[in-house]
Amino acid sequence: MSRDFDPRLLRAFVTTAEELHFTRAATRLYVAQQALSRDIRRLEHELGGALFVRTTRHVRLTAEGARLLPYARRVLAAHEAFSIAASAREQRPLLVDVGARAATGHEVLEETRRAHPELELVARFHSGLTGAAQEILDGRLDASFGRFAGLAPVVAARLDHLPVRYERMAVLLPDDHALCASDRIPLKTLAGRTLYAAAGNQSAAEWTDLATRLFAGHGIHLADPFPEIEGPEEFMRVVRKRGWWVLASTEFIDVPGMALRLLSDPVPLSPLSLVWRAGLDHLALDALADTARRLAREHHWLDLPSDAWLPPEDRTAMQDGVVL
């Protein structure tokens, strides 16, 4: 007798099999570890056998789990392909996460709308490519902008990206501080200081990773993890209340009472790509990519300063981005 299996349960199985660690798998899926364990138990009950052997220190596949894993992957791939095929190029809006209204992604989106009023591009304003990437793979989002090299390899392998810009990194600090007298702040002057860089916000893990790499080389400390902050108003409230200095890019919201200053010596860069699900065929995506390429060319967004700081994997990712 044939049985139907919830794709969510299969996704829980495959992700846990790839990580062999329930906490990491739950983080990738943006669910609580208890919820992931519940889904695995439910699938095991429906299958009538265990998929994993669990101990206090290790997780491994059972023989039956290893046998069923390639089938589960094929089912999920077929499910994803069906979602793509069911979305006609001209018949539905393109949902794009642009981060914030001050961001490069929003500029690209607005310019695309002006150039192609016949197309419908719907903006969403959340932060973090790590979270957006999972939503793209789940079919709940079409495209986003962010640091592609910061994604887990198993996630990045199912996505395509187009390099758009090297954003200059900056620091947001009180506007009455002495360092605000200059429009550039050498990194060495921040040695020993603590900056907020989204630690604790798993949706923006790629940004925290980039900050950690930069700070380690210059004696700057990462602020303790803090729950994800939704919306610019709440961000401003928390920053002002806690007295944070914030690692940002030049494309950042205005915060009253604070000033944005470029970082220098060297010039740290935040690489930005347009990211979408591999195989997505949509007229509005084509238009968005065309606009991104044009703006990058006109504004020299992909020119690298001679004294740029950028992790090697980011240089590689930006060189290897696809061309539509």
Side-chain angles (χ1 to χ4, degrees), residues 1-6 43-49 64 68:
M1 181 178 66
S2 63
R3 289 176 288 179
D4 293 326
F5 295 100
D6 187 337
L43 182 59
E44 288 177 327
H45 175 74
E46 293 183 8
L47 290 169
E64 184 67 357
L68 291 175

Side-chain angles (χ1 to χ4, degrees), residues 61-227:
L61 284 165
T62 63
E64 184 67 357
R67 184 182 73 84
L68 291 175
L69 180 59
Y71 295 98
R73 283 183 168 136
R74 287 201 288 270
V75 170
L76 289 176
H79 184 268
E80 182 179 316
F82 179 82
S83 297
I84 294 171
S87 301
R89 299 184 92 221
E90 300 90 347
Q91 292 179 352
R92 69 171 183 86
L94 189 78
L95 180 57
V96 186
D97 194 329
V98 297
R101 285 176 172 82
T104 296
H106 192 232
E107 181 178 351
V108 174
L109 181 75
E110 286 294 292
E111 182 62 25
T112 305
R113 285 171 170 169
R114 284 189 287 270
H116 299 276
E118 76 282 4
L119 300 176
E120 184 62 85
L121 296 94
V122 178
R124 198 185 71 171
F125 301 93
H126 290 182
S127 66
L129 181 61
T130 302
Q134 191 59 55
E135 293 192 56
I136 290 172
L137 294 181
D138 289 344
R140 291 178 284 130
L141 181 68
D142 292 311
S144 186
F145 291 84
R147 179 188 170 226
F148 189 78
L151 297 176
V154 293
V155 173
R158 298 167 61 194
L159 300 169
D160 284 332
H161 79 110
L162 176 72
V164 175
R165 186 175 188 177
Y166 291 111
E167 293 185 343
R168 289 282 303 270
M169 296 174 77
V171 60
L172 187 72
L173 72 164
D175 60 10
D176 58 356
H177 194 278
L179 286 176
C180 288
S182 173
D183 60 356
R184 287 176 172 77
I185 297 179
L187 277 164
K188 66 180 180 182
T189 64
L190 298 180
R193 189 169 290 278
T194 298
L195 271 66
Y196 172 73
N201 177 4
Q202 289 301 318
S203 294
E206 78 288 341
W207 176 253
T208 306
D209 174 71
L210 185 65
T212 301
R213 294 166 184 266
L214 174 64
F215 292 175
H218 296 90
I220 307 168
H221 306 298
L222 184 70
D224 291 337
F226 192 85

